[in-house]
Structures are given as C-alpha cells and as structure tokens.
Amino acid sequence: MATGVLILLLSASWVGADDSVGVPTFSGARAMEFLTAQTSLGPRPPGSEALSDLRRMITDLAAENGLRAVTLCFDAVNPLTGQEVEICNIVVQAG
C-alpha cells in the first residue's frame, strides 16, 4: 500500500518556550532552516522513503520543542491512479 501525507504543521519554526506562558516562540530563520531541510528530501510521493523521513522530521522537531505530535492516518483512493493509499495528518499541539 502506498503512503501519503497531508501535513498541518505550525511548529516547524518553534525555537523554545516563552517562560511567561509556556508557549513556543516563532523564528523565521528556524522556519527557513526546516523548509530547506524538507525540500532537500526531494519529491515525496505516497509510499516514498522521503515522505517517511519528512513525517519523522516533523514529529522529532515537535518532541525536541516540547510539543505533542499525533499522527492520524486513514485509507483513501488516489484520484490519479485509482490505487488505495494511506493518508496521514500530523497534528502538533502546545500544552
């Protein structure tokens, strides 16, 4: 079965928590670093090793910054190929 991923990620650029409220702070430079690392993986079609690597990068980054990442997967039919694929959403939460 092929694997696909739809990512809703707001934590790619967290660099640490604001001690007053315990919420990670945003860094444009860190966001660009993550984007560069993500695009260096190349194409990430369903079922590819690159897609698995990206999913791992996202969940690792969340954990490094004290955030909770939950992966929610379901099966769907790829409208271009007609093949069944696994689609995964990664939800990242603070607190």
Side-chain angles (χ1 to χ4, degrees), residues 4-29:
V5 67
L6 170 64
I7 302 169
L8 299 176
L9 178 68
L10 299 177
S11 69
S13 52
W14 299 132
V15 293
D18 175 344
D19 291 333
S20 64
V21 292
V23 176
T25 55
F26 180 82
S27 164

Side-chain angles (χ1 to χ4, degrees), residues 7-78:
I7 302 169
L8 299 176
L9 178 68
L10 299 177
S11 69
S13 52
W14 299 132
V15 293
D18 175 344
D19 291 333
S20 64
V21 292
V23 176
T25 55
F26 180 82
S27 164
R30 181 70 178 124
M32 185 56 77
E33 287 175 19
F34 189 84
L35 178 62
T36 300
Q38 178 180 341
T39 57
S40 73
L41 295 173
R44 297 168 304 280
S48 69
E49 188 65 30
L51 187 57
S52 295
D53 290 345
L54 177 59
R55 190 179 301 153
R56 195 170 19 263
M57 284 171 54
I58 292 167
T59 57
D60 288 351
L61 180 63
E64 289 168 14
N65 288 283
L67 301 172
R68 182 173 165 240
V70 178
T71 303
L72 307 168
C73 299
F74 58 93
D75 293 329
V77 175
N78 182 330

Side-chain angles (χ1 to χ4, degrees), residues 78-95:
N78 182 330
L80 299 176
T81 66
Q83 294 180 336
E84 189 172 284
V85 294
E86 182 180 64
I87 305 295
C88 296
N89 295 308
I90 301 173
V91 180
V92 177
Q93 299 173 320

